[in-house]
C-alpha cells in the first residue's frame, strides 16, 4: 500500500521541518527502515533547470513487515512527542485522504480504520 504524508502548515519551512522530523522518527524504527523505506520528496512537477522545491511529502510503501497498524502507532507516538501537534495529511494511492488534527490517540484509531478499509 502506497502512502503519502504531508503537513498542513502555513509556513513551508515549518512544513519541511515537521516532515524531516517524522522521517527521522520513522528511520529510527528498524522495522520501518527495513520494510517501509520512508522517503522525502516534493509533490511539485519538476521543471528542467529549475531550482529544487521544498520538501512537502513523505512517502512510504507499506508491506507485510510494516503494516498500517505499525505506521499509525509510529505517527501517533511522533505527534505526542512534538511541543505542538501538527496537522498531518495521510493520503492513500487511491486518493483517500485522512486529516489528523486532534489528539494523537483519537486520530490514530480513525487513521487505522481508513487504512485498513482499503484491504477489505
Amino acid at each position: 500500500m502506497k502512502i503519502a504524508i504531508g503537513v498542513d502548515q502555513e509556513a513551508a519551512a515549518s512544513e519541511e521541518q515537521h516532515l524531516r522530523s517524522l522521517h527521522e522518527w520513522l528511520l529510527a524504527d528498524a522495522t520501518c527502515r527495513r520494510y517501509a523505506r520512508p522517503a522525502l520528496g516534493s509533490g511539485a512537477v519538476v521543471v528542467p533547470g529549475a531550482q529544487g522545491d521544498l520538501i512537502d511529502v513523505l512517502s512510504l510503501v507499506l508491506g507485510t513487515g510494516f503494516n498500517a497498524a505499525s505506521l499509525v502507532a509510529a505517527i501517533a507516538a511522533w505527534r505526542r512527542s512534538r511541543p505542538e501537534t501538527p496537522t498531518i495529511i495521510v493520503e492513500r494511492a487511491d486518493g483517500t485522504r485522512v486529516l489528523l488534527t486532534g489528539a494523537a490517540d483519537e486520530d490514530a484509531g480513525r487513521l487505522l480504520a481508513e487504512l485498513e478499509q482499503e484491504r477489505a
Side-chain angles (χ1 to χ4, degrees):
M1 171 187 339
K2 292 183 181 180
I3 303 290
I5 300 172
V7 177
D8 186 23
Q9 293 288 320
E10 291 187 19
S14 176
E15 176 183 7
E16 184 171 342
Q17 287 175 334
H18 286 305
L19 286 174
R20 285 187 183 279
S21 172
L22 179 55
H23 181 251
E24 290 172 12
W25 185 275
L26 294 173
L27 286 177
D29 182 314
T31 306
C32 176
R33 188 175 56 248
R34 182 173 180 192
Y35 294 107
R37 298 186 186 175
L40 292 168
S42 173
V45 176
V46 178
V47 177
Q51 183 175 352
D53 289 320
L54 287 173
I55 291 169
D56 64 357
V57 69
L58 171 61
S59 57
L60 302 112
V61 176
L62 304 184
T64 56
F66 192 77
N67 59 23
S70 300
L71 175 63
V72 169
I75 291 173
W78 174 78
R79 289 182 74 217
R80 281 192 303 271
S81 76
R82 309 300 300 162
E84 59 182 66
T85 306
T87 298
I88 300 292
I89 304 161
V90 179
E91 186 171 352
R92 294 189 320 215
D94 68 3
T96 301
R97 295 178 70 160
V98 181
L99 193 64
L100 307 178
T101 59
D105 293 332
E106 293 171 9
D107 281 341
R110 194 166 47 83
L111 175 58
L112 182 58
E114 284 293 330
L115 293 177
E116 292 286 319
Q117 185 176 21
E118 181 183 46
R119 296 179 183 206

